[in-house]
Amino acid sequence: MSWQAVPRILWHYARTRNRRFETREELLAWQDSRVKRFLAEIVPRSPYYREQHRELGIANWKDWPTIDKAEMMGNFDRLNTVGIRAEEAFRVALEAERSRDFAPMLGPITVGLSSGTSGNRGLFLVSPPERHRWAGAMLARLLPGSILGHHRVAFFLRANSNLYETVGSSRIQFEFFDLLDAVETHVERLNRLQPTVLIGPPSLLRLLAEDPGLAIAPLKVVSVAEVLDPLDERCLQERFGGIIHQVYQCTEGFLAVTCSHGTLHLNEDLVAFQREVLDAESRKFVPILTDFSRTTQPIIRYRLNDILTERADACPCGSVMTALERIEGRSDDLFYFPARDGSRLRPVFPDFIRRAIMEAAPEALEYRVCQHSESVIEVSLRLPAGSGDAEGRVSGRLPGESGDVEDRVATRFCRLADDLGGIPPTITFTPYEAHRSDRKLRRVERRFTP
Ligand SMILES: [Zn+2]
């Protein structure tokens, strides 16, 4: 990291920590003026947005057409403000990923690649000032205590990028762990480092938590990159104690983080969130983002493929930023049941599936549920030793307890379909297979297009 970066990161750190809004109205008014100022500066530099906003004008930014990932990637060359072509960016990012030398740069610009299937990967571009702002905001929201204290941060990532190497100084030791390394290697390094902050995807944190050789006591454990399933949260709490924190960020920005009460709050001082309401009663929505700090690859009225649930009541911490009950996961993982009356398919939120499993199989250590078609759902459960076969797996129809679990799960899904006016699906049970740590774990996954 260059030494000039330190004061800049500290400045953003202080600004994020010290910015306070007394009321929600104050926050929204400030946000609106920030967005307008940002658009006035950025739109002339982005050929794509220059054309988009021609008729509507900046004052009406809230009514601009939304864009999604496909639209953004399809117009990548004209959308970014630094004239980088997608082809060139992909080449650099893929090369870095293959060689794992972790320095995908085009001039001063960091190139990142989101995970996903090969045809569906997103590119993102970040400039040094954006990196410093990100690092400052991240440290402000994540570090327990002051930035002037000593911290040792262990960060597990799918692929490193310069974005993360920005953070690091003599007081803050920042160690990167490659998810592809063996768990024994991780445990050995962690025991040596004795991190004060442990950050990683929950599936990896679970592996660490279950390793008898791990001897660390981090002050803060932070789940990133995957949905934190209540089952994993419970297990991590048992091992590490206290609140399991979450950072909700993706290539589209630093979106939400937990407060001292363990509630996720949207980072509305960095990003403006509008909503596409999915279900008003259960407060579920798809967020539409306008990130007024991203200038290289503007994120304006961007529809994220995620479902969020707002909290019903205010968070006791007193923050005026929207409090979330949970991040449900991707809208692609909504299940669908055929309607009993032959009308449209009934959507089933991932959260309903999670709850069904937790209620019907509370003893499960891990699970996966995949919907393969409108009528077939596959369930895999990892049960404590003794309740399935030797590995604690349920396979096929076994006598005794595992059969009971299967009956309970099947019955619970029937009831769920009934409650939603849908036709109960056929449930098949398969052995639980250990998850590959270089892949994103999705415990609830839909594998067909309705
Ligand atoms: Zn709070």
Side-chain angles (χ1 to χ4, degrees), residues 200-203 205-206 221-234 236-237 243-246 258 264 326-328 354 441 443:
S203 55
L205 297 175
R206 274 291 303 263
V221 177
V222 186
S223 154
V224 291
E226 289 166 359
V227 172
L228 178 61
D229 194 282
L231 185 143
D232 295 316
E233 185 178 14
R234 198 179 57 198
L236 293 173
Q237 267 167 345
I243 295 167
I244 303 303
H245 288 263
Q246 284 183 75
T258 40
L264 269 165
R326 73 182 72 82
I327 296 156
E328 288 221 22
R354 284 190 191 103
L441 172 63
R443 295 209 182 279

Side-chain angles (χ1 to χ4, degrees), residues 259 261 263 265 315 317:
C259 68
H261 291 256
T263 304
H265 289 275
C315 177
C317 78

Side-chain angles (χ1 to χ4, degrees), residues 15 19 21 24-42 58-62 268-272 290-293:
R15 207 167 67 143
R19 198 186 282 127
F21 299 98
R24 180 122 187 110
E25 290 68 38
E26 190 192 329
L27 164 69
L28 293 177
W30 175 86
Q31 203 186 56
D32 187 57
S33 73
R34 277 305 168 107
V35 171
K36 286 174 181 155
R37 205 167 86 187
F38 163 80
L39 292 176
E41 186 201 326
I42 286 310
I58 284 172
N60 300 313
W61 69 274
K62 286 177 181 156
E268 289 174 298
D269 54 344
L270 305 170
V271 180
T290 300
D291 188 330
F292 46 93
S293 61

Side-chain angles (χ1 to χ4, degrees), residues 218-430:
L219 297 171
K220 197 164 184 173
V221 177
V222 186
S223 154
V224 291
E226 289 166 359
V227 172
L228 178 61
D229 194 282
L231 185 143
D232 295 316
E233 185 178 14
R234 198 179 57 198
C235 169
L236 293 173
Q237 267 167 345
E238 278 166 18
R239 169 61 182 83
F240 295 110
I243 295 167
I244 303 303
H245 288 263
Q246 284 183 75
V247 166
Y248 174 40
Q249 71 156 358
C250 46
T251 52
E252 290 85 5
F254 179 26
L255 304 180
V257 67
T258 40
C259 68
S260 55
H261 291 256
T263 304
L264 269 165
H265 289 275
L266 296 177
N267 288 329
E268 289 174 298
D269 54 344
L270 305 170
V271 180
F273 292 81
Q274 292 165 286
R275 298 173 191 206
E276 180 186 311
V277 176
L278 292 178
D279 185 63
E281 201 187 329
S282 58
R283 306 172 307 281
K284 295 184 196 303
F285 65 98
V286 170
I288 294 162
L289 316 175
T290 300
D291 188 330
F292 46 93
S293 61
R294 290 276 288 274
T295 53
T296 310
Q297 183 179 3
I299 306 281
I300 303 168
R301 295 271 295 156
Y302 182 92
R303 186 186 186 278
L304 198 64
N305 180 24
D306 275 351
I307 303 170
L308 311 184
T309 307
E310 189 178 3
R311 244 177 91 122
D313 53 348
C315 177
C317 78
S319 167
V320 299
M321 300 199 208
T322 300
L324 296 180
E325 195 167 294
R326 73 182 72 82
I327 296 156
E328 288 221 22
R330 307 167 6 149
S331 357
D332 292 350
D333 288 328
L334 261 179
F335 280 22
Y336 288 97
F337 292 163
R340 253 197 318 262
D341 59 9
S343 61
R344 291 195 322 175
L345 291 169
R346 299 270 183 259
V348 189
F349 292 106
D351 181 38
F352 292 178
I353 305 293
R354 284 190 191 103
R355 254 188 288 167
I357 294 286
M358 297 269 284
E359 280 171 31
E363 70 271 54
L365 298 171
E366 292 193 77
Y367 73 90
R368 290 201 57 183
V369 183
C370 290
Q371 186 174 24
H372 292 280
S373 71
E374 281 164 25
S375 56
V376 177
I377 290 179
E378 177 189 352
V379 176
S380 318
L381 300 172
R382 187 181 141 225
L383 298 172
S387 50
D389 62 14
E391 270 89 47
R393 289 168 172 170
V394 180
S395 54
R397 198 145 255 291
L398 289 164
E401 267 189 82
S402 57
D404 290 347
V405 175
E406 293 181 5
D407 286 343
R408 276 184 268 136
V409 170
T411 310
R412 186 66 185 76
F413 272 104
C414 271
R415 212 174 79 213
L416 179 62
D418 254 9
D419 291 348
L420 297 167
I423 298 172
T426 305
I427 313 284
T428 62
F429 291 89
T430 53

Side-chain angles (χ1 to χ4, degrees), residues 182-224:
V183 177
E184 308 87 80
T185 316
H186 293 325
V187 168
E188 204 186 294
R189 274 181 70 196
L190 286 169
N191 287 348
R192 231 178 311 132
L193 176 68
Q194 288 297 316
T196 52
V197 183
L198 176 64
I199 305 174
S203 55
L204 188 276
L205 297 175
R206 274 291 303 263
L207 282 178
L208 294 175
E210 289 180 6
D211 195 295
L214 187 76
I216 59 170
L219 297 171
K220 197 164 184 173
V221 177
V222 186
S223 154
V224 291

